[in-house]
Amino acid sequence: MLPGLPMLSRDYSLSVSADLLRTRAFIDGRWVSAASSFAVLDPATGKEIASVSDCGPREAEAAVRAAYAAFQEWKRRPAKERSVFLRKWYDLLTQHKEDLAKLITAECGKPMKESLGEIAYSASFLEWFSEEARRVYGDIVPSPAKDRKILLLKQPVGVASIITPWNFPSAMITRKVGAALAAGCTVVVKPAEDTPLSALALAELATQAGIPAGVFNVVPCSRDRTPAVGEILCTDPLVAKVSFTGSTATGKILLKHAADTVKKVSMELGGHAPFIVFDSADLDKAVAGAMASKFRNSGQTCVCSNRFLVQSGIHDRFLERLGKAMDSELRVGHGSEPSTTQGPLINVRAVEKVEHQIADAVAQGATVLRGGRRLEGSFMQPTLLANVTTDMLCTREETFGPLVPVLKFDKEEEALVIANASQVGLAGYFFSRDIDQIWRVAEQLEVGMVGVNEGLLSTPEAAFGGVKQSGLGREGSKYGIEDYLDVKYMCFGGLTP
């Protein structure tokens, strides 16, 4: 029998404003029922919290047509008007942050403190892109001829399909949609089947903000219908752009779908982040960075540290200090409990993957220093492993769970070889007080984002994205809006010199 968690016998019913608890699809400004529905479960208890319309290809096609029709008018609105809409949407997210955070905790399992943090993060993208909407500048290029002028115009690409994951059910939508709407595009959002409620609440607030019908559409669907809906959103000729966050394997499938109609595509895919601690590191900062990077959302983030490489001179002290920090700071439980820092994993499959990686490591000689056991339902003990080698699954596959596998290394070059021995490259972290080393390692790590003496790096002002098989394009920052724009060259000739 699995160890139980006493608090799970309590009633954790969802209590939010009726306006924000929406369960039907949102298409062309209307709430639309589908022929069937699917259950949304609390991952902590396994209990149903809502029954949501299960959209199929018909609803997806209707949403695309609505978005295409709305695009004809939305693209002509002045940038200042689009900016004002986004700012109103931002204000509403901030106003309703408590209820929106409750939705995230209910369907995703995050502790409330983290859910509130996500809503602030989610809103920040609407604020950022409300400002960027007015900064989409073209160029006037010096002409080689006296009788003509050369202009480069930036114009919205059109309808964008937005396919998002469950681990940040609000922020992954606003990071994409904020940029799209600011550029003048319209969108169809397909949220993850585990977490559709946050997407539908965003649709309600978009309506309250005055965003016109058809500009923002949401088509939730079950796991069974996801392939068919995803195919429509990636192949429909009226769709000009696809933006996806999720696994590398799924991203490759969507890329193939989008290729037939040569759509503009951006992908934020899997990560396998190294976390390197050099002998020169500030040990307290390194431990705090490891705790922040690894255990946010119980290790279920694409940028969380996956492989911990610690230099031999500081290795034993790091392990001891990290173990003590795990003992004192981590509390497993339902996300609604104020003391909880570690909620459940999203489902049983996620727990089984972590269990399998731990068993594989132990079978090959790893030592369990903390945790190591599965708990009731979808809960997993935060786990610390020592004596880890590069032959073990946990160093070769993304974990997406609260597992810290620590490898010892001697030389900087050795750490870089291990860190870069991956087909993906989203984020990487290292701790050092050697300035020369900081520049060397930051430049040589094969990742899109580097945290130097810092375990948390996401912010709307910075460009988010990876290299290798971690994706295409960038989100956030001044570059995030570019993926929703085309550059049109205009040659104005016949002028009198």
Side-chain angles (χ1 to χ4, degrees), residues 26 29 74 77 82 84-89 126 177 181 202-203 205-216:
F26 187 69
W74 181 250
R77 285 184 180 258
R82 297 198 297 268
V84 169
F85 282 122
L86 287 169
R87 180 68 197 201
K88 288 180 179 177
W89 202 8
L126 299 181
V177 172
L181 269 59
L202 286 174
L205 294 180
T207 300
Q208 292 183 24
I211 293 174
V215 171
F216 182 78

Side-chain angles (χ1 to χ4, degrees), residues 342-372:
Q342 301 292 285
L345 301 194
I346 190 64
N347 53 41
V348 171
R349 294 188 304 277
V351 179
E352 291 172 346
K353 181 179 181 180
V354 180
E355 275 191 299
H356 180 57
Q357 288 193 357
I358 294 171
D360 170 80
V362 170
Q364 296 189 62
T367 304
V368 178
L369 300 183
R370 294 292 189 283

